[in-house]
Amino acid sequence: MHIKGIFFSLRWKLAILFGSVFLILHSVFSYFSYLEAINNFELDRKNIQSSHIIIAKALTEDSFLVLEQFGELLSLIDVLSSQDKPRYQVLSVLDETLSKWQFSWDMENVTYFDNQAQPIKSWGSQLVALNSIVKKVLRNEAPEHQVFCPHKCFQQTVTPVMGNSETSGAFSVIRSFADVIIKYKRATHSDIGLLIMDEATEQHQWPYKLSGMTLPEKNGPVFDYISRHFTIDELLDHSKTISLNDAVFEVRVFPVHQEAAGPPFFLFVDDITADFTGFNEDLKQVWFQGVISFLASLMLLIVVLHFSLRRVTQLSQALPLLSQNQYEQFKKQVTIKAFSNFGYDELDKLNHTALTLSDQLEHLELEVRSNTLKLLEKSQALGKERDFVRQLVDVAPIIIITQKLNGIILTINQAGVDEFESDSRSIIGKVFDAFLPESDKEHLDKLSRLRAGDLRSGRFQVDGLLLTESGKLLNVSWLHTLLKSVGNTNEAVILTLGVDISACKIAEEKSFRMPVYDYLTGLSNSRKFQEELALALASAQRYDYQVALIYMDLDHYKAINDCGDHEGADQLLVRIASVLKNTLRSTDLLSRVGDNEFAVVMPHADLEGIECIAKKINEVLMALDVGFAEKKYQVSASLGIAFFPQHGMAPNELLANANFAMCQAKAMGGGQYHVFSPDFDYQVKLNRMLYWQATLEDAIANDKFVLFYQPILNIKTNAISHFECLIRLQLDDEQLIMPADFIGHAEELGLSGQIDRLVLKKVVKKHIEYERQGQDYKLTVNLSGHSFNDPTLFEDVSQLINMPEVDPAKIIFEITETAAVSNFAAAKILIDRIKALGCVFALDDFGGNFSSFYYLRHFPVDYVKIDGSFIRQIDKREDDKIFVKALAGVAHAFGKKIVAEFIENEAILTILKEFGIDYAQGYYIGRPRRAD
């Protein structure tokens, strides 16, 4: 806002005004001047008296202001010093300086109170003052002041000390009220005293006594006189003029605290004898116009100043409204008058500035409120995110630790507490190295180098040990990452992730130590069984005796396994293996050839004995007490029996016939046995096998397999990065057969390897086509689980990958976690050899097994595809969110890229973006389509 008009100074206005008045006054008749003189004298006395009261009040308030400023100075020193010093050092600093300040500022006493209004430290005279004002200051967080008079009067100001957005204490500052009286005397040359509470006496009718009176010898009789002749209320309302001892005195009583009508009171005594005498003399010379004009001009000046100061007073009274945010009320009290021809003056400009400031403050307050609301919303969002991350860390099935560079443990999640076999309070604060045995030197050495900053990568991974509180040693795969500080004040920390691989370590050692034995039951596995069966048949043919082969399949095992207790199902297999070994002869060979399938090779067997054994096997199995998930199950087996040489001369033939017989026993209702008979109608089974054999061999020979390509989205770039190549079998009638319908038959017939090679050739051909077109797409090809035991597969893969136009890094081989785990050693060897060609590997169905994290560590794969069962309903199930986020965190910690399948809507994709998933695949991204 801009003020229009010409600036015209206030002093010129007053000069013109006074000159005009002066001329007019000289023209006034002497008679009117005489009458006016009398009135002016009385008015003059009132104004002088009002001026004295104002001066007294101003000196009192100024003294309080000085005390308040001194207290705020002490508070400021306390706040600034306490930021880096203890409070006792701050108070000791005040000990050194307060003596000087007391002299300079004329302080009687300085006391520091804590936030409970208890005195902590006091300097100067020991004065007793009520602590109620201190409590009021601590409660209101605003300075307070008072006058108290134990034997003489003192001024006290209490100022709060603020620290960390709360009141931490208060300073009390006291000075004598005598300073105010002395300054008043110097300023007005009048006398002043204080009336404080006292008992009434015969000499003094008032219940007050005189304290701190200037010129007590002269003014004492005045006090005695007025206390006998006037009431205190009379002197409070108006001043009184008395004549005493040939002198004239003007007396007035006024409360020290204007807002309170009670004591203490100011007693104003003004000796106006000279004024009174002079006035009388002036009256005698009233006809002298010069004196009359002078007095009139002087009185007019006082009136003008009075009205001018009233505007200033109005503004000063309105200004506190700004601190109370009462902007509208302030604008009503402070107004700008319409400008006259003389323009605007300094007071108008001051009012305008104040109103402009009010508008700015009001605008700033609105901005602060808006920003506060935004900050609150952000704080709530961060709080939810923090709680989610904290919950995620707590439920993550891995050890998560943060430690300082000196090894002090800062935080540990619940999984870590469980592995350490202790509680978090006992772990936090200890050195991480204390939980590592001294024998784990490689781990300790690398950890020291990481803390010292000697590892360029800022991270390392090691299979080490963990020494628990109970003294037990666990095998743990550790990943340590140095998180550098952000800014100059934050200290760098180390993020430590650990996965307990004790069970997997034992399983791995067993798998390498006993490659021909089943890791769970200790029985010979399928490979060992094939070898032993061939040896048994060769021996029987040489020495001309009969061998029986029993092929058994556990009934209802799938229902038991699906109840969710996989560990209990495994224990059941161990029990069954133990029972069968105790049932059979020592010369019989018992093997586990499938998930729930067993085979027995029995030399020197006859039909009657075999039938007795078959019946006994089901008897002992049915006698087992098996219960899972509060349900009881009866265990039995379907047994197929075939004899050498009647039912087959070759191992595969004998095994196939025993399998046929087992299928027939299962068709009989389970818990039965069936002896293979060449005359029995196995045509349905044979026809199905012969159909698929003919169909698949024809498809391989005539290239009837086609590839469908499903796009995979790079979530960060929102662009298609590669395609998964999905096989379909196309029949002569153009019908497409899905892989789930024919891959199992291909594996049974031993044709899966040929199909893998055929698919790989098509993938390589498509890759070369993309390269020639300049399209930067990667292609994913699936390998069947039987490929791991195919010794010639690598040579064929190598021949295709080493073709001149092939970029190995754009060919991704995908294996399922289940297939890789079931043949761990062979799968790891094949993966290492193919990766040496430059190709990339992906682990499919990740997260479906309890040991997923262990195999993630040991399989050198580049991508992991999270099992679709966790993705399909992640937008509806909170537990899936937590689990997927944990899987993603662990996979990223091991340096793997993550692919999520079954993305069927935008909500799922949005959640995966928040979790940092790298790639997305599903019908929402794109359905599988043929290349054309």
Side-chain angles (χ1 to χ4, degrees), residues 76-235:
L76 180 61
I77 293 175
D78 180 77
V79 172
L80 293 178
S81 301
S82 60
Q83 292 179 356
D84 53 3
K85 292 182 181 179
R87 187 167 299 281
Y88 72 86
Q89 292 187 12
V90 177
L91 297 178
S92 66
V93 172
L94 293 177
D95 286 336
E96 300 172 1
T97 58
L98 264 176
S99 60
K100 299 178 181 178
W101 290 354
Q102 282 182 280
F103 180 78
S104 301
W105 294 67
D106 195 22
M107 302 298 165
E108 289 287 334
N109 174 268
V110 177
T111 304
Y112 177 72
F113 294 85
D114 62 11
N115 57 6
Q116 301 297 323
Q118 297 300 318
I120 301 299
K121 184 73 175 179
S122 180
W123 299 268
S125 303
Q126 299 300 315
L127 298 176
V128 179
L130 295 177
N131 288 347
S132 59
I133 186 172
V134 179
K135 295 180 180 179
K136 182 178 180 181
V137 168
L138 294 175
R139 182 174 62 254
N140 298 336
E141 298 184 355
E144 294 285 343
H145 50 75
Q146 67 175 357
V147 175
F148 66 97
C149 304
H151 56 281
K152 61 179 182 177
C153 291
F154 297 90
Q155 289 180 284
Q156 180 185 23
T157 295
V158 183
T159 306
V161 177
M162 305 299 294
N164 296 329
S165 302
E166 62 180 3
T167 304
S168 60
F171 276 104
S172 168
V173 185
I174 300 175
R175 70 188 302 183
S176 174
F177 203 85
D179 293 337
V180 176
I181 295 175
I182 292 171
K183 290 179 180 179
Y184 175 86
K185 178 66 176 179
R186 291 175 181 173
T188 64
H189 303 289
S190 297
D191 296 324
I192 188 172
L194 285 176
L195 296 179
I196 61 176
M197 291 297 298
D198 193 10
E199 296 181 358
T201 63
E202 294 180 0
Q203 186 178 2
H204 304 292
Q205 300 299 323
W206 292 352
Y208 305 102
K209 68 178 181 179
L210 189 62
S211 174
M213 186 71 195
T214 58
L215 300 178
E217 299 83 4
K218 175 183 177 181
N219 297 309
V222 176
F223 171 69
D224 296 337
Y225 180 86
I226 62 174
S227 64
R228 292 194 303 268
H229 293 82
F230 302 100
T231 64
I232 194 71
D233 292 332
E234 291 177 326
L235 292 178

Side-chain angles (χ1 to χ4, degrees), residues 241-258:
T241 302
I242 63 172
S243 297
L244 184 67
N245 299 329
D246 298 326
V248 180
F249 299 91
E250 190 175 60
V251 183
R252 176 74 186 271
V253 174
F254 196 84
V256 175
H257 296 293
Q258 186 175 1

Side-chain angles (χ1 to χ4, degrees), residues 434-553:
F435 296 95
L436 302 179
E438 295 181 0
S439 59
D440 201 356
K441 294 182 179 179
E442 179 188 1
H443 188 184
L444 291 169
D445 178 63
K446 288 186 176 181
L447 190 54
S448 298
R449 291 171 59 195
L450 178 65
R451 291 168 178 166
D454 294 339
L455 292 182
R456 183 175 300 177
S457 63
R459 64 190 297 177
F460 75 90
Q461 188 173 342
V462 63
D463 286 348
L465 299 172
L466 170 64
L467 182 62
T468 66
E469 287 286 344
S470 64
K472 184 169 63 175
L473 281 177
L474 300 178
N475 287 288
V476 177
S477 179
W478 297 104
L479 175 64
H480 300 281
T481 303
L482 178 63
L483 304 179
K484 295 183 179 180
S485 61
V486 179
N488 299 324
T489 58
N490 298 327
E491 181 183 356
V493 296
I494 295 176
L495 173 64
T496 299
L497 305 179
V499 179
D500 185 1
I501 59 173
S502 300
C504 298
K505 200 77 174 178
I506 295 173
E508 181 181 359
E509 291 174 359
K510 287 183 178 181
S511 67
F512 283 107
R513 186 172 63 251
M514 297 184 299
V516 294
Y517 291 94
D518 177 48
Y519 75 96
L520 181 63
T521 61
L523 302 176
S524 56
N525 60 13
S526 178
R527 179 179 174 183
K528 180 68 173 177
F529 167 73
Q530 293 282 357
E531 295 175 356
E532 293 294 337
L533 178 59
L535 292 175
L537 296 187
S539 177
Q541 186 175 10
R542 180 177 180 180
Y543 296 105
D544 193 22
Y545 61 83
Q546 186 171 260
V547 175
L549 173 62
I550 302 178
Y551 194 92
M552 67 178 71
D553 182 273

Side-chain angles (χ1 to χ4, degrees), residues 7-19 342 346:
F7 177 80
F8 196 68
S9 176
L10 179 63
R11 64 176 178 268
W12 291 109
K13 292 180 180 179
L14 293 176
I16 294 174
L17 178 62
F18 292 158
F342 294 101
E346 289 87 350

Side-chain angles (χ1 to χ4, degrees), residues 868-892:
S869 61
F870 301 118
I871 304 297
R872 186 180 288 108
Q873 294 185 338
I874 194 173
D875 56 332
K876 301 175 182 177
R877 298 180 55 179
E878 194 66 28
D879 53 346
D880 283 347
K881 289 183 182 179
I882 295 174
F883 191 71
V884 168
K885 193 165 187 178
L887 288 178
V890 174
H892 279 147

Side-chain angles (χ1 to χ4, degrees), residues 199-492:
E199 296 181 358
T201 63
E202 294 180 0
Q203 186 178 2
H204 304 292
Q205 300 299 323
W206 292 352
Y208 305 102
K209 68 178 181 179
L210 189 62
S211 174
M213 186 71 195
T214 58
L215 300 178
E217 299 83 4
K218 175 183 177 181
N219 297 309
V222 176
F223 171 69
D224 296 337
Y225 180 86
I226 62 174
S227 64
R228 292 194 303 268
H229 293 82
F230 302 100
T231 64
I232 194 71
D233 292 332
E234 291 177 326
L235 292 178
L236 282 171
D237 294 334
H238 303 284
S239 63
K240 299 295 181 180
T241 302
I242 63 172
S243 297
L244 184 67
N245 299 329
D246 298 326
V248 180
F249 299 91
E250 190 175 60
V251 183
R252 176 74 186 271
V253 174
F254 196 84
V256 175
H257 296 293
Q258 186 175 1
E259 64 275 6
F265 299 104
F266 285 120
L267 175 61
F268 299 96
V269 179
D270 197 356
D271 187 353
I272 62 172
T273 303
D275 293 340
F276 192 82
T277 302
F279 173 71
N280 290 329
E281 292 294 328
D282 290 338
L283 288 178
K284 296 176 181 180
Q285 301 176 6
V286 68
W287 302 108
F288 298 100
Q289 294 296 326
V291 176
I292 294 174
S293 299
F294 172 77
L295 291 177
S297 299
L298 179 62
M299 296 301 295
L300 183 59
L301 176 62
I302 295 174
V303 173
V304 171
L305 291 178
H306 171 73
F307 283 103
S308 297
L309 290 176
R310 186 174 63 179
R311 294 168 60 192
V312 176
T313 302
Q314 183 180 12
L315 178 61
S316 65
Q317 292 175 348
L319 282 175
L321 296 174
L322 293 180
S323 63
Q324 302 170 8
N325 301 330
Q326 299 181 19
Y327 303 109
E328 294 299 327
Q329 187 66 23
F330 176 81
K331 293 176 183 178
K332 291 179 180 179
Q333 293 191 20
V334 179
T335 58
I336 299 178
K337 64 183 181 62
F339 300 121
S340 64
N341 296 329
F342 294 101
Y344 62 91
D345 56 31
E346 289 87 350
L347 292 180
D348 295 323
K349 193 172 184 180
L350 181 61
N351 285 347
H352 170 263
T353 302
L355 290 173
T356 303
L357 177 62
S358 173
D359 293 337
Q360 293 176 350
L361 290 176
E362 185 174 12
H363 178 70
L364 287 175
E365 183 185 9
L366 294 176
E367 285 188 353
V368 168
R369 289 180 181 177
S370 175
N371 292 335
T372 301
L373 292 175
K374 293 179 181 178
L375 184 61
L376 181 61
E377 293 174 356
K378 292 289 185 182
S379 176
Q380 292 175 347
L382 288 175
K384 292 180 180 179
E385 181 68 16
R386 180 197 60 225
D387 295 339
F388 176 77
V389 172
R390 184 180 300 161
Q391 181 184 11
L392 178 64
V393 170
D394 285 339
V395 302
I398 61 174
I399 302 171
I400 303 177
I401 295 173
T402 58
Q403 55 176 298
K404 294 183 178 180
L405 293 182
N406 58 5
I408 298 297
I409 296 176
L410 298 175
T411 61
I412 183 170
N413 68 337
Q414 187 58 44
V417 172
D418 296 339
E419 294 290 352
F420 277 62
E421 297 182 350
S422 182
D423 58 87
S424 59
R425 289 177 295 180
S426 301
I427 299 172
I428 295 175
K430 291 186 177 180
V431 179
F432 176 75
D433 299 10
F435 296 95
L436 302 179
E438 295 181 0
S439 59
D440 201 356
K441 294 182 179 179
E442 179 188 1
H443 188 184
L444 291 169
D445 178 63
K446 288 186 176 181
L447 190 54
S448 298
R449 291 171 59 195
L450 178 65
R451 291 168 178 166
D454 294 339
L455 292 182
R456 183 175 300 177
S457 63
R459 64 190 297 177
F460 75 90
Q461 188 173 342
V462 63
D463 286 348
L465 299 172
L466 170 64
L467 182 62
T468 66
E469 287 286 344
S470 64
K472 184 169 63 175
L473 281 177
L474 300 178
N475 287 288
V476 177
S477 179
W478 297 104
L479 175 64
H480 300 281
T481 303
L482 178 63
L483 304 179
K484 295 183 179 180
S485 61
V486 179
N488 299 324
T489 58
N490 298 327
E491 181 183 356

